[in-house]
Amino acid sequence: MNVLPPASELQRAFDRRDSTYDGVFYTAVKTTGIFCRPVCPARRPRPENVEFFATPREAMLAGYRPCLRCRPADTVRDRAPEVERLLRAIEADPSGRLRDADLRRMGIDPSTARRRFRRHFGMTFQAYHRARRLGGALAEVRSGAKVIESQLAAGFDSGSGFREAFARLFGAAPGRIAEERAPGRGAGRAAAKGCLVARWIDGPLGAMLALANDDGLHLLDFVDRRGLERELGRVARRFALVPGAHPLLDRAEEQLAAYFRGERGGFDLPLAPRGTPFQRGVWSELLRIPPGATRSYAEIAARLGMPKAVRAVARANGDNYRALVIPCHRVVGSDGSLTGYGGGLARKQWLLDHERRHAGGAPDPVTAAR
Ligand SMILES: [Zn+2]
């Protein structure tokens, strides 16, 4: 996780092609769908068409592909032939999947090529490909309301790029959107149970994806978090995902902004019933941890009356895909170490520091009683 300098500073550095910012941020151009290093010799786009990203991965998850001139994702200039071939295979079909057998068929030795790829890009072949693949679907979420309006105008069955992108990733979504959409609701309101409305939410710790319907919030997590693609696959087997507007997503976005400003520590959002009874038990314990405080996995297990279930608690904690709202970041090791976090340890540390700073010195009821 990298936190970006202010936009005015980025724009200045970009205008000057300031090489001291190489690796600090990346610029993406909305009109071309390409992202670059700030020093790229390519023609400068109009400022209103530029977006800034802290890492190549974030730019890819937002749907951009790397520039062929400045090669923004490469850590060194020269590419080994294996690296070049893996890249070409990805770009030939970013939404596809490439298994070892596919690589062997192309005459590529998978283990050597993957090792070189990782060294070259500082991320695994799998992570790189996933970012390109997921980015295709998430780009459609980002354009959100616009897509759904054109869908409404054209009739749902015309098939949106969004639904196609998700169908390519996860298999066909349930084809019941048209019937289940409640008639007469506001534009873009997919009220039916067969649908989840998706929204991209930008924030200081990176972009988040939110999914909700009238049952409540189903998912809210960092787009680059570990396991997100698999979780989206699970969700997409049960629901059709459509970008658009939902009052719950408006509330989620407002509350997130207030949380990041330090104006609120918790959230007041209905949560859709998800998970096994055990997971729900763990998650409801997490909801009791006040902002600014932490608990250990062992404490959560003890509170559930299952003191030996520490590892199962840790797993259920990691299976929470409603980040911040269900505060799994407030669970740490018994020695106070951060242990793990789906969104990365840097984010976890940031969140805990942020909450301690803004908790306003209110005593943690549990610690106080100890
Ligand atoms: Zn470039």
Side-chain angles (χ1 to χ4, degrees), residues 66-365:
C67 170
L68 298 175
R69 285 181 77 176
C70 66
R71 297 183 169 179
D74 298 48
T75 57
V76 288
R77 183 73 204 175
D78 293 325
R79 287 174 182 163
E82 293 92 339
V83 171
E84 190 66 50
R85 297 191 64 192
L86 286 183
L87 266 185
R88 265 197 230 128
I90 292 176
E91 293 306 325
D93 180 17
S95 65
R97 280 165 206 276
L98 288 164
R99 300 191 168 81
D100 280 358
D102 303 313
L103 299 182
R104 271 189 222 102
R105 216 171 301 125
M106 294 157 57
I108 300 175
D109 173 51
S111 59
T112 311
R114 283 177 194 277
R115 201 170 52 241
R116 297 226 162 115
F117 192 95
R118 181 173 195 160
R119 207 181 306 140
H120 188 88
F121 288 103
M123 68 180 116
T124 64
F125 175 67
Q126 199 185 10
Y128 187 102
H129 196 177
R130 192 187 301 119
R132 289 286 290 121
R133 193 164 57 216
L134 207 47
L138 293 177
E140 300 286 344
V141 181
R142 300 187 80 210
S143 49
K146 232 172 32 222
V147 172
I148 200 133
E149 275 161 28
S150 59
Q151 275 178 350
L152 286 173
F156 254 102
D157 290 329
S158 64
S160 69
F162 176 83
R163 284 174 62 203
E164 281 165 25
F166 267 90
R168 273 200 308 275
L169 275 184
F170 306 119
R176 298 175 308 193
I177 299 175
E179 309 90 276
E180 292 195 358
R181 263 183 56 79
R185 295 293 186 101
R189 176 88 189 276
K193 283 199 175 185
C195 274
L196 293 184
V197 183
R199 184 179 301 176
W200 175 283
I201 301 176
D202 282 309
L205 295 190
M208 302 182 85
L209 176 70
L211 302 176
N213 64 3
D214 287 354
D215 288 341
L217 187 68
H218 286 252
L219 183 143
L220 174 67
D221 225 314
F222 297 100
V223 297
D224 62 357
R225 85 149 273 181
R226 173 161 38 86
L228 183 67
E229 191 184 28
R230 193 177 310 147
E231 180 66 11
L232 282 176
R234 272 194 285 271
V235 172
R237 278 194 287 279
R238 288 182 54 206
F239 299 96
L241 307 180
V242 291
H246 192 283
L248 181 51
L249 294 176
D250 294 339
R251 275 172 66 193
E253 194 163 359
E254 281 161 23
Q255 292 186 19
L256 275 171
Y259 171 86
F260 282 119
R261 287 194 303 266
E263 291 165 11
R264 66 182 306 150
F267 293 82
D268 171 26
L269 297 168
L271 298 174
R274 287 185 62 90
T276 64
F278 179 78
Q279 286 174 324
R280 286 206 289 271
V282 172
W283 297 340
S284 67
E285 281 304 321
L286 301 184
L287 287 166
R288 293 170 197 261
I289 312 174
T294 56
R295 298 284 180 276
S296 69
Y297 299 99
E299 283 173 297
I300 303 285
R303 290 183 65 93
L304 289 167
M306 291 178 268
K308 288 195 173 18
V310 177
R311 293 181 66 156
V313 165
R315 245 190 329 273
N317 202 59
D319 287 337
N320 170 41
Y321 283 85
R322 286 173 286 201
L324 313 186
V325 176
I326 298 177
C328 57
H329 61 279
R330 293 179 195 149
V331 187
V332 297
S334 295
D335 60 356
S337 61
L338 288 181
T339 60
Y341 189 53
L345 291 181
R347 279 202 186 99
K348 186 170 183 173
Q349 186 67 61
W350 191 100
L351 293 167
L352 293 176
D353 291 345
H354 176 73
E355 291 183 353
R356 279 189 201 112
R357 234 182 355 259
H358 293 285
D364 171 1

Side-chain angles (χ1 to χ4, degrees), residues 27 34-37 39-42 66-72:
T27 56
I34 290 172
F35 76 100
C36 285
R37 299 172 186 274
V39 294
C40 183
C67 170
L68 298 175
R69 285 181 77 176
C70 66
R71 297 183 169 179

